[in-house]
Structure formats: structure tokens, C-alpha cells
Amino acid sequence: MRTPWWQSIRWRLALGSMLVALLAITLLAMTAIISFGYYYGVDQHDQLISLATDSAQQIGIDYATSRNLAAAAVTNLPAILVKTQRTQNQGYLAIVLNRRYKRVYPLTGLPQNPLAGLPKTSLNEIRTALIQAQHNIPTHGDLGGGPFAALRPFAVQPIQMGGQSSLPVVGVLIIVPRSALTNTLPPFLTTTAQFVLISSLFMAVLAALAAILFSRTITRPLAKLTNTARVLATRDYSARVQTKAQGELGELATTFNEMAARLEDDINELHRQELWRRELIMNITHDLATPLTAIAGLGESLMDGVNQSYEDYEATGRIIVRETLRLRRLVKDLHLMAKVEAGALQPQRTEVRLAALVDEVLAVLATQFERANVEPRNLIPYDLPTVRADTNMLARVFTNLCDNALRYTPAGGTVIIEAAQRANILAISIADTGKGIPAAALPRIFDRFYRADASRQNSTGGSGLGLAIVRAIIEAHNGTIHAENVPQGGARIIFTLPPYPDRQRTAF
């Protein structure tokens, strides 16, 4: 099922990051504009007071010479205002009133009352300031309230004879920024605000791109994980996450790959177990059917009276006993393998001398060796260090290995049993003079129910569990086992056991 884009982690993370970035940029832009406005207003107040003071003083000086207030204003104010416009990027309205509050500058280009558009409170402040200026009291303030009041300053400065504070007042100078009259922001602040807004927009675009790229670095590995999980869901357990992500995402991808590898191993193991189970059923069915068929057939012959003499009954009895023992041996092998699979194979360790144990095993198998015309040779030194092992299990190991070697050794051959101490272990070998083990069969001869020569299983009578039982017993004793072919001919199986106690080393 495809996830809608608005529910996607990638876009939710990107949009969340963009919103946070936009909020931060907006707050930063607003803070910058307010800061610029505040400090610009403070600076504008100072500059306006300085401009009004200097202009009133210059007009007063010229008035002392010309005795004409209008002429003095015309002589000084235009040049001062033009210079201010150029240096401060701010236009000012300058009005000069005489003692009778009549406007003497400028005489043209302005309405009768250029301040008529201001709020009543601002007009009242200016009227009060005019009265105070006639009494030689300069006044400055703001035209109205609000957060931008500092950007609408005004100054009312008395004009004194000769520019001297001790001489009479001959007029009043009113200076107001033109932006205050039109209720707009000063040009400098407008330009600054536009620059800040454009910069903020540019930063917002960069932040959006960065948020998308940042979210992609997080969601792309997650998307790969999701796709790989979908592939695993289709039972393709070889799929792996290919990503170069670092940190937690890289660790997650590595852990996911490890999980997939273990899952693949488990699935392969289940397949192998299933194949083994099928092979087990087929082999058990075959190995059980052969003696049961023989016993059933011989029983029917007894019931039908086919056997007429004592010798016939005796031969039939021997066959029934042999096949029964074969069944019992197979059942014991299956029981032992079941204990191995359940992890219940626990050796009861005692001190064992290998030479004596092998003599006992060969004594039991003497009849079989004589019947096959094969010579067994026990070449294990009597003074070899003893081992700490389960006597019955170790006897089972030698019995199975000798029995296996006997099956594949032709008449006139030999089975040689040797042992020597190597470093801190005992190495024991059982070699025959047969034709050896096929190279393809060497890695599998210790598997359950595996036979290197399947065509000989009926004649040899093996169950296919003997070597598997040997490996399980050796591993339960913390030893190792492997098979190899002898260059001169035949096969050799070598297993190791830890010696007990540690004695002087010997070698083959």
C-alpha cells in the first residue's frame, strides 16, 4: 500500500523543518526591522533637534543683518534642506512663523495649513510648542502614539535675534519629516525593510531546500529498508540494504542486514532439515522394511511347514535372530541420535586407557574379522596417557569405526588402529586398506544416513548412522574428527581427545 505524501515521514519532516525555519526567520526579520526602526527613530530625533537648532541660529544671524525674517529663511533653509536630503536620504518640511504666527516661509508651494492632515492631538502638541517657542522654549516630540511614533518626530525651535539665546525671539521654526506628514516610513527604513524581507525570503528558500535535502538523508535509508523488507516478504532472503548512511540509520541498516543474513541462514537450515527429515523417513522405512520383510517371510514359511528338518529350523532361527538384532541396533542408533539432537548426550567421564579398551573392542569383533579374512592391528602404545572419557561411548566409537573399516576392506586386508600424543591432545586413527572414500563424499560421510556407496547398503547392512554417532560422541568429549584418504590406498579416520593426565609426549 502506497502512503499518501502528506503522511510520508519525508514530507512531514521536511514541512516541519521548513515551518520551524520560517518561524525563526520571520522572528529574526521582525526583530531586525523593529531594531532598525527604534535606533533610526532615536538617531532621527537627535538629527532633527540638531538641524532645527542650527537652522534657527543661522536664520537669527542673517535676520540681525537684513531685518527681514522671510529673506533670512529663504537664504539659509533651502541649502540646509537640500544638504540634509542628500546626506540623510530624508526630506523635511521647514516652516517659519513670525511673532504673529504668520507663515513667512515658504510662501508658495504649500497649502494654507500644511499640518492640517495631522491628528488633533498632534496639532494641539504643535500649537502648545509654538506658544512655548514664543517664550524662548524649544520643544520636540512625536506626532501621535503607537509603536512607530518615534519615526514621526517634530521640532519647534525659537528664532532669536543674532542667534543669541539672550536676545529676543523674532520667529519660530517648525521642522517635520515629510514621511511623518504622509504617515509613511522614512525612505531609509523602507529600503532597509525591503532588504531584510528579500534576504529573509532568500533564506527561507534556502531553508526549505535544506529541509528537503536533510529529510531525504533520513528518509532515503528508511525507504531502502522498507523496499528490502518488501523483498524479504516475497521470500527472497538474499536481499540486503545498500546504504552509506552513518550514525543510528547506518547502525539500523547493519542490524537489518545481520537479521536478514541470520534469517536466510535459518531458512536454509530449515530447508536442510526438511531434506534430512525426508531422507530420514526414507532410510528408516527402508532399513526397517528389510529385516521386517525377512522376519515376516521366514515366519510364514514356519507356519506353512516349509521347513522339515532340524537344520532348516535352526537356519531359519539364526536368520530371524540376526534380523531382530539388526532391528534392535537400528533402534538403539535412532535413540542415541535423538539424544544428540535434544542435547541430552552427557558423557560419564572416567580415566580410560585406550590400548586396553581397543583390545576389548577387537575381542568382541574377532569373529567378524575372521569371517571377512581381515587382520586388525592395535598399535596403540600401552604407556600412552589415559583420557578422561565415557568408557561405553568410547567403546561405541571404536566399534563403529572398526565395523565401518571392516565393511570396505577386501579379504586379506588390514585395519590399523594407532594413537599418539600431539601437543596437548591425543590423536587416534583407524585406517583400512580398501579403495578409499570418493572425494565428493569426504565432506558428508559423518552426516546422518549418508552412505558413500549406496549400492552396497544392503550387503553391508549399515544403517547410515554409525559415523554420525561417532562424530556426536567425539564432539561431546570436546574433540574433533575428520576423514582422509591414505596415499598408499584405503581411508583413515582421525579423531582427537584431550589426554588425562598430561604425560610425556610421543609421536607416530
Side-chain angles (χ1 to χ4, degrees), residues 240-381:
R240 298 292 184 272
V241 180
Q242 302 295 333
T243 180
K244 297 180 180 179
Q246 304 295 324
E248 288 82 356
L249 290 175
E251 183 178 355
L252 176 61
T254 302
T255 304
F256 185 91
N257 287 338
E258 292 176 355
M259 180 195 70
R262 293 179 181 176
L263 180 61
E264 184 178 17
D265 292 341
D266 292 342
I267 295 299
N268 292 335
E269 181 64 24
L270 287 176
H271 289 163
R272 286 193 294 269
Q273 292 290 343
E274 177 63 19
L275 292 177
W276 288 344
R277 184 186 66 82
R278 294 176 183 176
E279 186 178 0
L280 172 65
I281 293 175
M282 289 188 297
N283 282 286
I284 290 178
T285 302
H286 180 274
D287 290 338
L288 290 177
T290 300
L292 287 176
T293 301
I295 293 173
L298 293 173
E300 290 177 357
S301 67
L302 290 175
M303 294 175 60
D304 294 339
V306 175
N307 299 316
Q308 299 295 329
S309 64
Y310 176 78
E311 289 77 9
D312 293 336
Y313 282 106
E314 185 179 11
T316 301
R318 282 198 300 269
I319 296 175
I320 292 176
V321 170
R322 186 188 65 194
E323 296 300 326
T324 303
L325 292 177
R326 181 178 174 184
L327 283 175
R328 186 174 67 177
R329 185 169 62 251
L330 177 60
V331 171
K332 287 184 178 180
D333 289 346
L334 291 174
H335 177 69
L336 183 57
M337 288 305 300
K339 292 178 65 176
V340 171
E341 294 293 336
L345 190 62
Q346 301 295 332
Q348 303 297 321
R349 299 176 186 268
T350 59
E351 189 173 353
V352 179
R353 189 169 297 280
L354 293 179
L357 180 63
V358 172
D359 285 340
E360 295 177 3
V361 171
L362 293 179
V364 175
L365 299 176
T367 303
Q368 299 180 30
F369 276 97
E370 290 178 1
R371 187 183 302 117
N373 192 23
V374 174
E375 179 186 1
R377 295 180 183 178
N378 180 8
L379 302 182
I380 298 179

Side-chain angles (χ1 to χ4, degrees), residues 367-409:
T367 303
Q368 299 180 30
F369 276 97
E370 290 178 1
R371 187 183 302 117
N373 192 23
V374 174
E375 179 186 1
R377 295 180 183 178
N378 180 8
L379 302 182
I380 298 179
Y382 188 80
D383 60 349
L384 193 71
T386 57
V387 295
R388 188 78 171 172
D390 188 304
T391 304
N392 294 329
M393 289 186 181
L394 204 54
R396 182 67 175 275
V397 168
F398 283 108
T399 300
N400 287 5
L401 292 179
C402 290
D403 183 67
N404 182 77
L406 182 60
R407 290 197 195 102
Y408 297 99
T409 302

